[in-house]
Amino acid sequence: MMKVVSVRREGALTRGRGVLAASVSILALAAPLAAYAQDQPAQESAVTQVGEIVVTGSRLQRSGLDAPTPTMALTAELLEAKAIVNVADILNEMPQVATGLSNANTSYSFGNIGLNQVNLRNLGVRRTLTLVNGRRRAGTPDDSNFLAFDLGNIPAALVQRVEVQTGGTSAVYGADAVAGVVNLILKDDFDGVEAQLQYGSDEGGTYDTLTYGLTAGVNYDRGNAVLHMSRTETGGLTRGDRGLGTRYGFVSNPANTGPNDGIPARIPLRDLSFAYFALGTPTGNLPFGPNGTWTDVIFDSASQTFRPLNVGDRGVIDGSYSQGEGGRQDADTLVAPLERTNVYAKADYQLNDKLKLFGEFIFADITARDRISAVFDSWSTSVSIDNPFMPTAVRDGLIAAGEDSMYYARSHDEFGMRGTDMDRQYYSLATGLEGEFGDTWKWSAVFEYGKSKTTNHNLNDRLDPRWFEASDAILDPISGEAVCRSVEARARGCVPVNIFGQGTISAAAVDYIRVNHSSTTDTSQTMLQGLIAGDLFQLPAGAVKFSAGAEYRKDEIDFRPSSVWENAEGFFGSQFSPISKSNDVSEAFAEVLVPVVRDKPFAYSVELEGAYRVSKYERAGSVDSWKLAGSWAPIPDIRFRVTKATAVRAPSLGEMFNPGSRGASGLSDPCDPNLLDSGTPNRRANCAALGFDPVSWDPNTRRMTTLVFSTGNPDLNVEEADTMTVGAVIRPRFLPGFAFSADYYNIKLDGGIDRIGAQQTVNNCVDLPSLDNQFCSMLTRKPDGNIYEVRDSYINVASFEVEGVDFEATYHAELSDLLRREGDLGRIRLQGVASYLKHNTFIDRDLATGEETAFDDAGEAGNPDLRGMVNATYYKGNMQVNWSSRYVGETVTNNDLLNPAEDIGSYYNIPSIWYHDLSVAIDTPMNVRFTAGIRNVFDEGPRDHPTTARGNLGMDDLIGRFYFLGAKWRFGN
């Protein structure tokens, strides 16, 4: 069973008064022309006026409420009110957005630290297309070499608004827009100078952010030029900063007597230490108990032998946890610190009345850091009884038990914490022409080249060949000193290691074994695009509007792993091979808007809209996508809208050509007696068929990691999806300033490309109705039954269906009108957005038999069935007060449990949570705006549940109450 990752969304959408005429002229052609067309001010003053916001849900411009496909906008005003320094932070609050990649969830990964990528509808980052000014940009690789645009490349201070369109956009914007499009519209036509400074800190002073920047622009006779430079520094948090250095999780219930006894199989326990992990002295299960019995022990430096490990009354729980003595992860990264420098420049020049030349440059330099525990051993290295560092009492105890060596667990703190420092540089250069001809026709042509360079610095890694050489020590008969057993190793300078005690590995041995190494990934995108748009002809209801274009893109990737990774010499034996590949696509597309009826009885407005795109991929062949949409307003107060579309996504370079990497992962064997009731009803029978005793089977996964081989698949096919939205927009004339929309959406995707994960692969093997499935062939077990290796590859195996309803309501009014009083009482804007998730279904299709098994995750922890946000703003003179809140509904841990009471009892339910933010902005006579506020006013979260305590779902705040103060100086126009 593969889970569709949960999506979270929340945002503040700004809707204005009035209805745009259905015959609105085409202003947004896309690419640079889209940015040119969208430069209408959203508001004359952020404090005094609230106006209509025009969005570009297609290349045919209209407001989000008038567009047939729901389109929402987040304004620069909201970003400033919430002290947003990273655009991903505000997007992740939207009900339509699930957990993507951010600073708070990318620790413990090879290459994702500091990435910020959005995930619409919980269909994954790979099915969400991110644009800047209506144009696709070069991607940044994740740790699977998948390329997606990093939102960190664009500073929040430069964003005029963010448009989010969900569904029906592939024909308009191309592949990857299966779930929808996020379009960042940047500030343009800037005249004057604006300096910004903002600082924020949490209540305890353990986390802070600082951002400062300068934007300067000038209008001249034939155009405008803009330059922006900014710097952002966000602090980090360790697990210890939030009291998360120990484990709060589910463990087996000793009171459980079996299935259907009314007693939960698992119970939650707090403050669990790690019995065999993160301790800087050896632990293990060795014959050093009373009378030489095998027991859980720890090495005691004072007595120079092993003593019983003080793990509490239950002993070592589930082979991993201790309620007493044990290791912690206090120093490990929880939220990654990040430093970012951004530069943006744009200039245009009017060659004549009908022709304009423009150029644009974007640069970003981002550094993020991750620190986790030191290299360790978990029964992976043995020490022979002739090792000279082995204390006499230990040697005698092993000999008495008939052993000639021992295996152990130990954190080798002498090496220092493992670290990943990610340096990412992004460049984008574009130039083009925009022109006009005739009365309504506009055209544009643009060339763009984008490049990202990612350098992954791995710190305090271990050269395993040298480690195993140094661990095998003997006594030199000549010198009487401990030396490495291998003569060849001694010739290379091998220094033996002493693991008995804390801090016993010498600095010389560390220097021989420890290594820092770097890997580099270069990616680029070359794009040529031409667009044309205008009025084809007039109908009684208005002009038929048309846009068309052609585009060529070439993506390239060059991954150069370090020699340590390429030769599998590092810790865990992780292996990565070089990759140098490219892929190109040629596309042609068109879109048309037909006003059918205007100002007729029961047909105030009827419009039809269509789009078609054909794409020819170098490696995936030709595919097409289309969209049909319509809207009907029987009266001016209500409009019904519908969109039916197909969407496609071609396999990426990383999915096709990832040459394979080997690593290790802490997996659970689903046939572990403690987990037999944690899957589908098929699990018990299938595990019994494999020969595992449901009571006595003691898998090695309880104590050690498992090899995982991750690989690409050059034979992948294109994904295809059918999408539909049906909705209504109500703007009653008797209540000026009020608007309400409700939209049903349905996305069905077939042939989904996914690396389903090693854990899910082993679970699927026994959770499906039969063992004769493709997942069992993707794992290898040793003769004793223990899992040896799991193959985790991309396959076209998945189908998804996401279904639900989005709601939005806005209201703005003068308080004097609302209260029927004289004078200026100010203005209010109220806005609420909610989303109900009916289904989030993954359909597991067995490639061998064609049998399908559906897993619906709607309502689970990662997929709340109800999320929402409320945003309220009060404007009075030079003051603005904003109150915003977001809601995450109650969820459950796992919909697939046949009898939750038999699994975790009352902890099956995870509580709901509300978060609230408050800010005040004041404009001073000296053209300085001061903003102050509090995020998470009531210091809520993370929710007190094992599933949410570490904030790993992206919906639970790890920062806590956060104060901020900002100032913005404005000079000139």
Side-chain angles (χ1 to χ4, degrees), residues 49-94:
Q49 177 168 329
V50 180
E52 179 91 33
I53 290 182
V54 177
V55 302
T56 54
S58 74
R59 301 185 191 277
L60 307 173
Q61 182 178 333
R62 73 281 308 280
S63 76
L65 291 174
D66 289 329
T69 302
T71 305
M72 294 159 287
L74 311 175
T75 65
E77 177 189 58
L78 179 66
L79 270 64
E80 182 179 341
K82 294 174 72 69
I84 297 297
V85 297
N86 193 325
V87 178
D89 293 341
I90 189 68
L91 286 168
N92 286 337
E93 293 185 356
M94 295 182 64

Side-chain angles (χ1 to χ4, degrees), residues 52 696 944:
E52 179 91 33
S696 63
D944 187 24

Side-chain angles (χ1 to χ4, degrees), residues 274-275 277-283 298-307 309 325-328 389 391 408-415 497-507 510:
F274 299 91
F277 180 74
L279 284 170
T281 191
T283 60
I298 184 171
F299 184 79
D300 181 65
S301 296
S303 63
Q304 284 294 290
T305 189
F306 285 94
R307 62 168 175 80
L309 187 65
E325 198 171 17
R328 300 171 61 96
F389 294 116
Y408 63 93
R410 184 185 192 269
S411 176
H412 306 309
D413 298 336
E414 297 89 342
F415 284 75
V497 297
N498 175 13
I499 57 92
F500 292 97
Q502 290 184 316
T504 53
I505 300 178
S506 68
V510 170

Side-chain angles (χ1 to χ4, degrees), residues 89-164:
D89 293 341
I90 189 68
L91 286 168
N92 286 337
E93 293 185 356
M94 295 182 64
Q96 295 89 344
V97 177
T99 304
L101 295 178
S102 71
N103 289 13
N105 67 2
T106 49
S107 186
Y108 285 79
S109 65
F110 283 120
N112 292 338
I113 283 294
L115 271 180
N116 289 272
Q117 296 172 340
V118 68
N119 173 10
L120 282 174
R121 297 290 190 214
N122 201 18
L123 288 174
V125 168
R126 304 177 184 199
R127 300 181 184 96
T128 300
L129 178 60
T130 301
L131 308 174
V132 179
N133 284 345
R135 207 163 59 235
R136 187 188 295 256
R137 304 303 173 105
T140 299
D142 64 9
D143 60 5
S144 298
N145 283 327
F146 176 81
L147 307 182
F149 184 74
D150 184 359
L151 291 166
N153 294 330
I154 303 297
L158 192 58
V159 175
Q160 182 65 31
R161 67 183 179 275
V162 183
E163 298 175 358
V164 180

Side-chain angles (χ1 to χ4, degrees), residues 12 14 43-50 75-83 825-829 871-884 917-924 928-933 964 968 970:
T14 308
Q43 46 208 22
E44 293 179 7
S45 167
V47 171
T48 60
Q49 177 168 329
V50 180
T75 65
E77 177 189 58
L78 179 66
L79 270 64
E80 182 179 341
K82 294 174 72 69
L825 301 180
R827 174 188 295 268
I828 60 167
R829 176 189 294 279
N871 186 56
T873 307
Y874 171 72
Y875 307 86
K876 178 68 165 66
N878 63 351
M879 181 180 68
Q880 171 186 316
V881 180
N882 177 270
W883 180 278
S884 63
D917 304 329
L918 172 67
S919 70
V920 178
I922 298 177
D923 285 332
T924 70
V928 179
R929 163 175 277 208
F930 291 103
T931 303
F964 61 89
K968 186 181 290 185
R970 296 166 177 161

Side-chain angles (χ1 to χ4, degrees), residues 223-544:
N224 173 265
V226 178
L227 174 65
H228 170 91
M229 296 180 291
S230 62
R231 172 77 172 174
T232 299
E233 300 172 5
T234 63
L237 289 174
T238 66
R239 296 191 181 278
D241 289 333
R242 292 297 180 261
L244 298 173
T246 55
R247 179 77 172 169
Y248 175 34
F250 290 109
V251 299
S252 60
N253 184 359
N256 182 35
T257 60
N260 302 317
D261 61 355
I263 301 174
R266 296 184 295 159
I267 57 174
L269 286 182
R270 300 179 187 273
D271 298 324
L272 292 169
S273 299
F274 299 91
Y276 305 121
F277 180 74
L279 284 170
T281 191
T283 60
N285 190 274
L286 294 168
F288 291 93
N291 300 317
T293 56
W294 289 77
T295 188
D296 297 308
V297 294
I298 184 171
F299 184 79
D300 181 65
S301 296
S303 63
Q304 284 294 290
T305 189
F306 285 94
R307 62 168 175 80
L309 187 65
N310 179 18
V311 292
D313 295 338
R314 286 192 59 180
V316 175
I317 301 173
D318 296 346
S320 300
Y321 302 119
S322 165
Q323 290 184 289
E325 198 171 17
R328 300 171 61 96
Q329 295 175 290
D330 288 331
D332 289 10
T333 296
L334 181 65
V335 176
L338 183 143
E339 299 174 359
R340 183 182 71 207
T341 300
N342 295 96
V343 177
Y344 174 81
K346 183 180 179 184
D348 55 63
Y349 186 80
Q350 200 76 35
L351 298 173
N352 57 47
D353 291 343
K354 299 290 187 179
L355 186 62
K356 182 169 70 174
L357 172 70
F358 79 92
E360 178 195 68
F361 174 73
I362 300 175
F363 169 76
D365 189 308
I366 301 172
T367 299
R369 298 182 300 277
D370 184 26
R371 297 293 182 268
I372 58 176
S373 59
V375 293
F376 59 90
D377 268 288
S378 179
W379 289 275
S380 53
T381 305
S382 67
V383 180
S384 174
I385 59 173
D386 63 353
N387 188 302
F389 294 116
M390 181 177 287
T392 300
V394 175
R395 182 179 295 109
D396 292 343
L398 292 172
I399 292 174
E403 301 291 322
D404 58 7
S405 65
M406 57 163 274
Y407 285 87
Y408 63 93
R410 184 185 192 269
S411 176
H412 306 309
D413 298 336
E414 297 89 342
F415 284 75
M417 297 189 72
R418 285 174 291 161
T420 300
D421 286 356
M422 297 296 300
D423 293 330
R424 297 186 178 92
Q425 292 184 330
Y426 174 86
Y427 311 83
S428 175
L429 180 64
T431 185
L433 293 168
E434 300 171 358
E436 303 176 11
F437 64 93
D439 294 332
T440 64
W441 289 90
K442 298 174 183 284
W443 63 271
S444 71
V446 60
F447 166 81
E448 178 176 308
Y449 178 77
K451 179 180 177 64
S452 75
K453 182 181 182 66
T454 302
T455 305
N456 185 335
H457 303 283
N458 277 264
L459 310 177
N460 296 333
D461 199 356
R462 184 178 82 183
L463 289 173
D464 271 4
R466 292 192 175 191
W467 168 258
F468 292 119
E469 290 172 349
S471 296
D472 188 14
I474 60 172
L475 192 67
D476 188 327
I478 299 175
S479 67
E481 296 180 352
V483 296
C484 301
R485 187 185 302 270
S486 167
V487 176
E488 293 82 2
R490 293 202 297 269
R492 289 192 295 269
C494 180
V495 180
V497 297
N498 175 13
I499 57 92
F500 292 97
Q502 290 184 316
T504 53
I505 300 178
S506 68
V510 170
D511 289 342
Y512 176 71
I513 300 166
R514 183 174 57 190
V515 63
N516 299 330
H517 56 99
S518 300
S519 300
T520 303
T521 307
D522 290 331
T523 67
S524 67
Q525 177 183 276
T526 303
M527 187 188 74
L528 290 167
Q529 184 188 73
L531 298 164
I532 187 171
D535 295 349
L536 286 176
F537 52 84
Q538 290 287 329
L539 292 176
V544 175

